[in-house]
Amino acid sequence: MQVQKVILAAALAALLGAAGGCVTTTQHSLGPDFGNSVQANSANQVIDPLAGLEETDPNTLDGRKGELALDRYRTEQAEAETQRLITDIN
């Protein structure tokens, strides 16, 4: 019984190995520009690739002005020029 299982397993392995040679790959169906859209979209999301290499001062805000702006925001006392906002839309 044990010998029959070994022979059956060997025959099955040989059959599957022979059938595997009939498989074709799709490697050749991809065009030479495959993946260009992904690379273009990734490049479009980068604002300035050399930003870390520049030796510029960081953008800062005066502490007192920032505190006043935050207080106006929290107390909702900031007023916007609504007429100007409407005319800027058109």
Coordinates of all heavy atoms in Angstrom, one line a residue:
M1 N 0.8 -1.2 0.0 CA 0.0 0.0 0.0 C 0.9 1.3 0.0 O 0.6 2.2 -0.7 CB -0.9 0.0 1.2 CG -1.9 1.0 1.3 SD -3.2 0.7 0.0 CE -4.3 2.0 0.3
Q2 N 1.9 1.2 0.8 CA 2.8 2.4 0.9 C 3.5 2.6 -0.4 O 3.7 3.7 -0.8 CB 3.8 2.1 2.1 CG 4.7 3.3 2.4 CD 4.0 4.4 3.0 OE1 2.8 4.3 3.3 NE2 4.7 5.5 3.3
V3 N 3.9 1.6 -1.1 CA 4.7 1.7 -2.4 C 3.7 2.3 -3.4 O 4.2 3.1 -4.3 CB 5.2 0.3 -2.8 CG1 5.8 0.3 -4.2 CG2 6.2 -0.3 -1.8
Q4 N 2.5 1.9 -3.4 CA 1.5 2.4 -4.4 C 1.3 4.0 -4.2 O 1.2 4.7 -5.2 CB 0.2 1.7 -4.3 CG 0.2 0.3 -4.7 CD -1.2 -0.4 -4.5 OE1 -2.0 0.1 -3.8 NE2 -1.3 -1.5 -5.2
K5 N 1.3 4.4 -3.0 CA 1.2 5.9 -2.7 C 2.4 6.6 -3.2 O 2.3 7.7 -3.8 CB 1.0 6.1 -1.2 CG -0.4 5.7 -0.7 CD -0.5 6.1 0.8 CE -1.9 5.7 1.3 NZ -2.0 6.0 2.7
V6 N 3.6 6.0 -3.0 CA 4.8 6.7 -3.5 C 4.8 6.8 -5.0 O 5.2 7.8 -5.6 CB 6.1 5.9 -2.9 CG1 7.4 6.5 -3.6 CG2 6.1 6.1 -1.4
I7 N 4.4 5.6 -5.7 CA 4.4 5.6 -7.1 C 3.4 6.6 -7.7 O 3.6 7.3 -8.6 CB 4.1 4.2 -7.6 CG1 5.3 3.3 -7.3 CG2 3.9 4.2 -9.1 CD1 5.1 1.8 -7.6
L8 N 2.2 6.7 -7.0 CA 1.2 7.6 -7.4 C 1.6 9.1 -7.3 O 1.4 9.9 -8.1 CB -0.1 7.3 -6.6 CG -1.3 8.2 -6.9 CD1 -1.7 8.0 -8.4 CD2 -2.4 8.0 -6.0
A9 N 2.3 9.4 -6.2 CA 2.8 10.7 -5.9 C 3.9 11.1 -7.0 O 3.9 12.2 -7.5 CB 3.4 10.8 -4.5
A10 N 4.7 10.2 -7.3 CA 5.8 10.4 -8.3 C 5.2 10.6 -9.7 O 5.6 11.5 -10.4 CB 6.8 9.3 -8.3
A11 N 4.2 9.8 -10.0 CA 3.5 10.0 -11.3 C 2.8 11.3 -11.4 O 2.8 12.0 -12.4 CB 2.5 8.8 -11.5
L12 N 2.1 11.7 -10.3 CA 1.4 13.0 -10.2 C 2.4 14.1 -10.4 O 2.1 15.1 -11.1 CB 0.6 13.1 -9.0 CG -0.3 14.3 -8.8 CD1 -1.3 14.4 -9.9 CD2 -1.0 14.3 -7.4
A13 N 3.5 14.1 -9.7 CA 4.5 15.1 -9.8 C 5.1 15.2 -11.2 O 5.3 16.3 -11.7 CB 5.7 14.8 -8.8
A14 N 5.3 14.1 -11.8 CA 5.9 14.1 -13.2 C 4.8 14.7 -14.1 O 5.2 15.5 -15.0 CB 6.2 12.7 -13.6
L15 N 3.6 14.4 -13.9 CA 2.5 14.9 -14.8 C 2.3 16.4 -14.6 O 2.2 17.2 -15.6 CB 1.2 14.2 -14.5 CG -0.1 14.6 -15.3 CD1 0.2 14.3 -16.8 CD2 -1.3 13.9 -14.8
L16 N 2.4 16.9 -13.4 CA 2.3 18.3 -13.1 C 3.5 19.1 -13.6 O 3.4 20.2 -14.1 CB 2.0 18.6 -11.6 CG 0.7 18.2 -11.1 CD1 0.7 18.4 -9.6 CD2 -0.4 18.9 -11.7
G17 N 4.6 18.5 -13.5 CA 5.9 19.1 -14.0 C 5.8 19.2 -15.6 O 6.3 20.2 -16.1
A18 N 5.3 18.2 -16.2 CA 5.2 18.3 -17.7 C 4.2 19.3 -18.1 O 4.3 20.0 -19.1 CB 4.9 16.9 -18.2
A19 N 3.1 19.4 -17.4 CA 2.0 20.3 -17.7 C 2.5 21.8 -17.5 O 2.0 22.7 -18.1 CB 0.7 20.0 -16.9
G20 N 3.4 22.0 -16.6 CA 3.9 23.3 -16.3 C 4.7 23.9 -17.4 O 4.8 25.1 -17.5
G21 N 5.2 23.1 -18.3 CA 6.0 23.6 -19.4 C 5.1 24.2 -20.5 O 5.6 24.9 -21.4
C22 N 3.8 24.0 -20.4 CA 2.8 24.5 -21.4 C 2.4 25.9 -21.1 O 1.7 26.6 -21.9 CB 1.6 23.6 -21.5 SG 2.0 22.0 -22.0
V23 N 2.8 26.4 -19.9 CA 2.3 27.7 -19.5 C 3.1 28.8 -20.2 O 4.3 28.7 -20.3 CB 2.5 27.9 -17.9 CG1 2.1 29.3 -17.5 CG2 1.6 26.8 -17.2
T24 N 2.4 29.8 -20.7 CA 3.1 31.0 -21.3 C 3.1 32.1 -20.4 O 2.2 32.3 -19.6 CB 2.5 31.3 -22.7 OG1 1.1 31.7 -22.4 CG2 2.5 30.2 -23.6
T25 N 4.0 33.0 -20.5 CA 4.1 34.2 -19.7 C 3.5 35.4 -20.4 O 3.5 35.4 -21.6 CB 5.5 34.5 -19.2 OG1 6.3 34.8 -20.4 CG2 6.2 33.4 -18.5
T26 N 3.1 36.4 -19.7 CA 2.5 37.6 -20.3 C 3.5 38.7 -20.2 O 3.2 39.9 -20.4 CB 1.2 38.0 -19.5 OG1 1.6 38.3 -18.1 CG2 0.1 37.0 -19.6
Q27 N 4.8 38.4 -19.9 CA 5.8 39.4 -19.8 C 6.0 40.2 -21.1 O 6.2 41.4 -21.1 CB 7.1 38.7 -19.5 CG 8.3 39.7 -19.3 CD 8.2 40.4 -17.9 OE1 7.5 39.9 -17.0 NE2 8.9 41.5 -17.8
H28 N 5.8 39.6 -22.2 CA 6.0 40.3 -23.5 C 4.8 41.2 -23.9 O 5.0 41.9 -24.8 CB 6.3 39.2 -24.6 CG 7.5 38.4 -24.3 ND1 8.8 38.9 -24.2 CD2 7.6 37.1 -23.9 CE1 9.6 37.9 -23.9 NE2 8.9 36.8 -23.7
S29 N 3.7 41.0 -23.3 CA 2.6 41.8 -23.7 C 2.6 43.2 -23.1 O 1.7 44.0 -23.4 CB 1.3 41.1 -23.3 OG 1.2 41.0 -21.9
L30 N 3.5 43.5 -22.1 CA 3.5 44.8 -21.5 C 4.3 45.7 -22.5 O 5.3 45.4 -23.0 CB 4.2 44.8 -20.2 CG 3.6 43.9 -19.1 CD1 4.4 43.9 -17.9 CD2 2.2 44.3 -18.8
G31 N 3.8 46.9 -22.7 CA 4.4 47.9 -23.6 C 5.6 48.5 -23.0 O 5.9 48.4 -21.8
P32 N 6.4 49.1 -23.8 CA 7.7 49.8 -23.3 C 7.4 51.0 -22.4 O 8.3 51.4 -21.6 CB 8.4 50.2 -24.6 CG 7.3 50.3 -25.6 CD 6.3 49.3 -25.2
D33 N 6.2 51.5 -22.4 CA 5.9 52.6 -21.5 C 5.1 52.2 -20.3 O 4.4 53.0 -19.7 CB 5.1 53.7 -22.3 CG 3.8 53.2 -22.9 OD1 3.6 52.0 -22.9 OD2 3.0 54.0 -23.3
F34 N 5.1 50.9 -20.0 CA 4.4 50.4 -18.8 C 4.9 51.1 -17.6 O 6.1 51.0 -17.3 CB 4.5 48.9 -18.7 CG 3.8 48.3 -17.6 CD1 2.4 48.2 -17.6 CD2 4.5 47.9 -16.4 CE1 1.7 47.6 -16.5 CE2 3.8 47.4 -15.4 CZ 2.4 47.2 -15.4
G35 N 4.0 51.7 -16.8 CA 4.4 52.3 -15.5 C 4.7 53.8 -15.6 O 5.0 54.4 -14.6
N36 N 4.7 54.3 -16.8 CA 5.0 55.7 -16.9 C 4.0 56.6 -16.2 O 4.3 57.7 -15.7 CB 5.1 56.1 -18.4 CG 6.4 55.7 -19.0 OD1 7.3 55.2 -18.3 ND2 6.5 55.8 -20.3
S37 N 2.7 56.2 -16.2 CA 1.7 57.0 -15.6 C 1.9 57.1 -14.1 O 1.7 58.2 -13.5 CB 0.3 56.5 -15.9 OG 0.1 55.2 -15.4
V38 N 2.3 56.0 -13.5 CA 2.5 56.0 -12.0 C 3.7 56.9 -11.7 O 3.7 57.7 -10.8 CB 2.8 54.6 -11.5 CG1 3.2 54.6 -10.1 CG2 1.6 53.7 -11.7
Q39 N 4.8 56.9 -12.5 CA 5.9 57.7 -12.3 C 5.6 59.2 -12.5 O 6.0 60.1 -11.7 CB 7.1 57.3 -13.2 CG 7.7 56.0 -12.9 CD 8.7 55.5 -13.9 OE1 9.0 56.2 -14.9 NE2 9.4 54.4 -13.6
A40 N 4.8 59.5 -13.5 CA 4.4 60.9 -13.8 C 3.5 61.4 -12.6 O 3.7 62.5 -12.2 CB 3.6 61.0 -15.1
N41 N 2.6 60.6 -12.1 CA 1.7 61.0 -11.0 C 2.5 61.2 -9.8 O 2.3 62.2 -9.0 CB 0.6 60.1 -10.8 CG -0.5 60.1 -11.9 OD1 -0.7 61.2 -12.5 ND2 -1.2 59.0 -12.1
S42 N 3.5 60.4 -9.5 CA 4.3 60.6 -8.3 C 5.2 61.8 -8.4 O 5.3 62.6 -7.5 CB 5.3 59.4 -8.2 OG 4.5 58.2 -7.9
A43 N 5.7 62.1 -9.6 CA 6.5 63.3 -9.8 C 5.7 64.6 -9.7 O 6.1 65.6 -9.2 CB 7.2 63.3 -11.2
N44 N 4.4 64.5 -10.1 CA 3.5 65.7 -10.0 C 3.2 66.0 -8.5 O 2.7 67.2 -8.3 CB 2.2 65.5 -10.8 CG 2.5 65.6 -12.3 OD1 3.4 66.2 -12.7 ND2 1.6 64.9 -13.0
Q45 N 3.3 65.1 -7.6 CA 3.0 65.3 -6.2 C 4.1 66.0 -5.5 O 4.0 66.3 -4.3 CB 2.5 64.0 -5.6 CG 1.2 63.5 -6.2 CD 0.8 62.2 -5.6 OE1 1.2 61.9 -4.4 NE2 0.0 61.5 -6.3
V46 N 5.3 66.1 -6.1 CA 6.5 66.7 -5.4 C 6.5 68.1 -5.8 O 6.6 68.5 -6.9 CB 7.8 65.9 -5.9 CG1 9.0 66.6 -5.3 CG2 7.7 64.5 -5.5
I47 N 6.4 69.0 -4.8 CA 6.5 70.4 -5.0 C 7.9 70.9 -5.4 O 8.1 71.5 -6.4 CB 5.9 71.2 -3.8 CG1 4.5 70.9 -3.6 CG2 6.1 72.7 -4.0 CD1 3.9 71.4 -2.3
D48 N 8.8 70.6 -4.5 CA 10.2 71.1 -4.7 C 11.1 70.0 -4.2 O 11.4 69.8 -3.0 CB 10.5 72.4 -4.0 CG 11.8 73.0 -4.3 OD1 12.5 72.4 -5.1 OD2 12.2 74.0 -3.7
P49 N 11.7 69.2 -5.1 CA 12.5 68.1 -4.7 C 13.8 68.5 -4.0 O 14.4 67.8 -3.3 CB 12.8 67.3 -6.0 CG 12.6 68.2 -7.1 CD 11.5 69.2 -6.6
L50 N 14.2 69.7 -4.2 CA 15.5 70.2 -3.6 C 15.2 71.1 -2.4 O 16.1 71.9 -2.0 CB 16.3 71.0 -4.7 CG 16.6 70.2 -6.0 CD1 17.3 71.1 -7.0 CD2 17.5 69.0 -5.6
A51 N 14.1 71.1 -1.9 CA 13.7 72.0 -0.8 C 14.6 71.8 0.5 O 15.0 72.7 1.1 CB 12.3 71.8 -0.4
G52 N 15.0 70.6 0.7 CA 15.8 70.3 1.9 C 17.3 70.8 1.7 O 18.0 70.9 2.7
L53 N 17.7 71.0 0.5 CA 19.1 71.4 0.3 C 19.3 72.9 0.3 O 20.4 73.4 0.4 CB 19.5 70.9 -1.1 CG 19.4 69.4 -1.3 CD1 19.8 69.0 -2.7 CD2 20.3 68.6 -0.3
E54 N 18.2 73.7 0.3 CA 18.3 75.1 0.3 C 18.7 75.6 1.7 O 18.1 75.1 2.7 CB 17.0 75.8 -0.2 CG 16.7 75.4 -1.7 CD 15.3 75.9 -2.1 OE1 14.7 76.6 -1.2 OE2 14.9 75.7 -3.2
E55 N 19.5 76.6 1.8 CA 19.9 77.2 3.0 C 19.1 78.5 3.2 O 19.7 79.6 3.2 CB 21.4 77.4 3.1 CG 22.1 76.1 3.1 CD 23.6 76.4 3.3 OE1 24.0 77.4 3.8 OE2 24.4 75.5 3.0
T56 N 17.8 78.5 3.4 CA 17.0 79.6 3.7 C 16.5 79.6 5.1 O 16.4 78.6 5.7 CB 15.8 79.7 2.7 OG1 15.0 78.5 2.9 CG2 16.3 79.7 1.2
D57 N 16.2 80.8 5.5 CA 15.6 81.0 6.9 C 14.2 80.4 6.9 O 13.4 80.6 5.9 CB 15.6 82.4 7.3 CG 17.0 83.0 7.5 OD1 17.9 82.2 7.8 OD2 17.1 84.2 7.4
P58 N 13.8 79.7 8.0 CA 12.4 79.2 8.0 C 11.4 80.4 8.1 O 11.7 81.4 8.6 CB 12.4 78.4 9.3 CG 13.5 78.9 10.1 CD 14.5 79.4 9.1
N59 N 10.2 80.1 7.6 CA 9.1 81.1 7.7 C 8.7 81.2 9.2 O 8.4 80.2 9.8 CB 7.9 80.7 6.8 CG 8.3 80.7 5.4 OD1 9.2 81.5 5.0 ND2 7.6 79.9 4.6
T60 N 8.7 82.4 9.7 CA 8.3 82.5 11.1 C 7.2 83.6 11.2 O 6.9 84.3 10.3 CB 9.6 83.1 11.9 OG1 10.0 84.3 11.4 CG2 10.7 82.0 11.9
L61 N 6.6 83.6 12.4 CA 5.5 84.5 12.7 C 5.8 85.1 14.0 O 6.3 84.4 14.9 CB 4.2 83.8 12.7 CG 3.0 84.5 13.2 CD1 2.6 85.6 12.1 CD2 1.8 83.6 13.3
D62 N 5.7 86.4 14.1 CA 5.9 87.1 15.3 C 5.0 86.5 16.4 O 3.8 86.3 16.2 CB 5.6 88.6 15.2 CG 5.8 89.4 16.5 OD1 6.9 89.2 17.1 OD2 4.9 90.2 16.8
G63 N 5.5 86.2 17.5 CA 4.8 85.5 18.6 C 3.5 86.3 19.0 O 2.5 85.7 19.2
R64 N 3.7 87.6 19.2 CA 2.6 88.4 19.7 C 1.4 88.4 18.6 O 0.3 88.3 19.0 CB 3.0 89.8 20.0 CG 2.0 90.7 20.6 CD 1.6 90.3 22.0 NE 0.4 91.1 22.4 CZ -0.6 90.7 23.1 NH1 -0.6 89.4 23.5 NH2 -1.5 91.4 23.5
K65 N 1.8 88.6 17.3 CA 0.8 88.6 16.3 C 0.1 87.3 16.2 O -1.1 87.2 16.0 CB 1.4 89.0 14.9 CG 1.8 90.4 14.8 CD 2.4 90.7 13.4 CE 2.9 92.1 13.3 NZ 3.4 92.4 12.0
G66 N 0.9 86.2 16.3 CA 0.3 84.9 16.3 C -0.7 84.6 17.5 O -1.8 84.0 17.3
E67 N -0.3 85.1 18.6 CA -1.2 85.0 19.8 C -2.5 85.8 19.6 O -3.6 85.3 19.9 CB -0.5 85.5 21.0 CG -1.3 85.3 22.3 CD -0.5 85.8 23.5 OE1 0.6 86.3 23.4 OE2 -1.1 85.6 24.6
L68 N -2.4 87.0 19.1 CA -3.6 87.8 18.8 C -4.5 87.1 17.8 O -5.7 87.1 17.9 CB -3.2 89.2 18.4 CG -2.6 90.1 19.5 CD1 -2.1 91.4 18.9 CD2 -3.6 90.3 20.6
A69 N -3.9 86.6 16.7 CA -4.7 85.9 15.7 C -5.4 84.7 16.3 O -6.6 84.4 16.0 CB -3.8 85.5 14.5
L70 N -4.7 83.9 17.1 CA -5.3 82.8 17.7 C -6.4 83.2 18.7 O -7.5 82.5 18.7 CB -4.2 82.0 18.5 CG -4.7 80.6 19.0 CD1 -5.2 79.7 17.9 CD2 -3.5 80.0 19.8
D71 N -6.3 84.2 19.4 CA -7.3 84.7 20.3 C -8.6 85.2 19.5 O -9.7 84.9 19.9 CB -6.8 85.9 21.2 CG -5.9 85.4 22.3 OD1 -5.9 84.2 22.6 OD2 -5.1 86.2 22.8
R72 N -8.3 85.9 18.4 CA -9.5 86.3 17.6 C -10.2 85.1 17.0 O -11.4 85.0 16.9 CB -9.0 87.2 16.4 CG -8.7 88.6 16.9 CD -8.5 89.5 15.7 NE -7.6 89.0 14.7 CZ -6.3 89.3 14.6 NH1 -5.7 90.1 15.5 NH2 -5.5 88.8 13.6
Y73 N -9.4 84.1 16.6 CA -10.0 82.8 16.1 C -10.9 82.1 17.1 O -12.0 81.7 16.8 CB -8.9 81.9 15.5 CG -9.4 80.6 15.1 CD1 -10.1 80.4 13.9 CD2 -9.2 79.5 15.9 CE1 -10.5 79.1 13.5 CE2 -9.7 78.2 15.5 CZ -10.3 78.1 14.3 OH -10.8 76.8 14.0
R74 N -10.3 82.0 18.3 CA -11.0 81.3 19.4 C -12.3 82.0 19.8 O -13.3 81.4 20.2 CB -10.1 81.1 20.5 CG -9.0 80.0 20.3 CD -8.2 79.7 21.4 NE -7.2 78.7 21.2 CZ -6.1 78.5 21.8 NH1 -5.8 79.3 22.8 NH2 -5.3 77.5 21.5
T75 N -12.3 83.3 19.8 CA -13.4 84.1 20.3 C -14.3 84.5 19.2 O -15.3 85.2 19.4 CB -13.0 85.4 21.0 OG1 -12.2 86.1 20.2 CG2 -12.2 85.0 22.3
E76 N -14.0 84.1 18.0 CA -14.8 84.4 16.8 C -15.0 85.8 16.6 O -16.1 86.3 16.2 CB -16.1 83.6 16.8 CG -16.0 82.1 16.8 CD -17.3 81.4 16.8 OE1 -18.3 82.0 16.5 OE2 -17.3 80.2 17.1
Q77 N -14.0 86.7 16.8 CA -14.2 88.1 16.7 C -13.5 88.6 15.4 O -13.6 89.8 15.1 CB -13.5 88.8 17.8 CG -14.2 88.6 19.1 CD -13.5 89.3 20.3 OE1 -12.4 89.8 20.1 NE2 -14.1 89.3 21.5
A78 N -13.0 87.7 14.6 CA -12.4 88.0 13.3 C -13.5 88.4 12.3 O -14.5 87.7 12.2 CB -11.5 86.9 12.8
E79 N -13.3 89.5 11.6 CA -14.3 90.0 10.7 C -13.7 89.9 9.3 O -12.6 90.3 9.1 CB -14.7 91.4 11.0 CG -15.2 91.6 12.4 CD -16.8 91.7 12.3 OE1 -17.3 92.0 11.3 OE2 -17.4 91.5 13.4
A80 N -14.4 89.4 8.4 CA -14.0 89.3 7.0 C -14.8 90.3 6.2 O -15.9 90.6 6.4 CB -14.2 87.9 6.4
E81 N -14.1 90.9 5.2 CA -14.8 91.8 4.3 C -15.7 91.0 3.3 O -15.2 90.5 2.3 CB -13.8 92.6 3.5 CG -12.9 93.5 4.4 CD -11.9 94.2 3.6 OE1 -12.1 94.5 2.4 OE2 -10.8 94.5 4.1
T82 N -16.9 90.8 3.6 CA -17.8 89.9 2.8 C -18.0 90.5 1.4 O -18.1 89.7 0.5 CB -19.1 89.7 3.5 OG1 -19.7 91.0 3.8 CG2 -19.0 88.9 4.8
Q83 N -18.1 91.8 1.3 CA -18.3 92.3 0.0 C -17.1 92.1 -1.0 O -17.3 91.7 -2.1 CB -18.6 93.8 0.0 CG -19.0 94.5 -1.3 CD -20.3 93.9 -1.9 OE1 -21.2 93.5 -1.1 NE2 -20.3 93.7 -3.2
R84 N -15.9 92.2 -0.4 CA -14.7 91.9 -1.2 C -14.6 90.5 -1.6 O -14.2 90.1 -2.7 CB -13.5 92.4 -0.5 CG -12.3 92.4 -1.3 CD -11.0 92.9 -0.6 NE -10.0 91.8 -0.8 CZ -9.3 91.3 0.2 NH1 -9.4 91.8 1.4 NH2 -8.4 90.4 -0.1
L85 N -15.0 89.6 -0.6 CA -15.0 88.2 -0.9 C -15.9 87.8 -2.0 O -15.6 87.0 -2.9 CB -15.3 87.4 0.3 CG -14.3 87.4 1.5 CD1 -14.9 86.7 2.7 CD2 -13.0 86.7 1.0
I86 N -17.1 88.4 -2.1 CA -18.1 88.1 -3.1 C -17.6 88.6 -4.4 O -17.7 88.0 -5.5 CB -19.5 88.7 -2.7 CG1 -20.0 88.0 -1.5 CG2 -20.4 88.7 -3.9 CD1 -21.3 88.6 -0.9
T87 N -17.0 89.8 -4.5 CA -16.6 90.4 -5.7 C -15.3 89.6 -6.3 O -15.1 89.5 -7.5 CB -16.2 91.9 -5.6 OG1 -15.3 92.1 -4.6 CG2 -17.5 92.7 -5.4
D88 N -14.5 89.1 -5.4 CA -13.3 88.3 -5.8 C -13.7 87.0 -6.4 O -13.0 86.5 -7.3 CB -12.4 88.1 -4.6 CG -11.6 89.3 -4.2 OD1 -11.7 90.3 -5.0 OD2 -11.0 89.3 -3.2
I89 N -14.9 86.5 -6.1 CA -15.4 85.2 -6.7 C -15.7 85.4 -8.1 O -15.4 84.6 -9.0 CB -16.6 84.7 -5.9 CG1 -16.1 84.2 -4.5 CG2 -17.2 83.5 -6.7 CD1 -17.3 83.8 -3.6
N90 N -16.3 86.5 -8.4 CA -16.8 86.8 -9.8 C -15.6 87.2 -10.6 O -15.0 87.3 -11.4 CB -17.9 87.8 -9.9 CG -19.1 87.3 -9.2 OD1 -19.4 86.1 -9.3 ND2 -19.9 88.2 -8.7

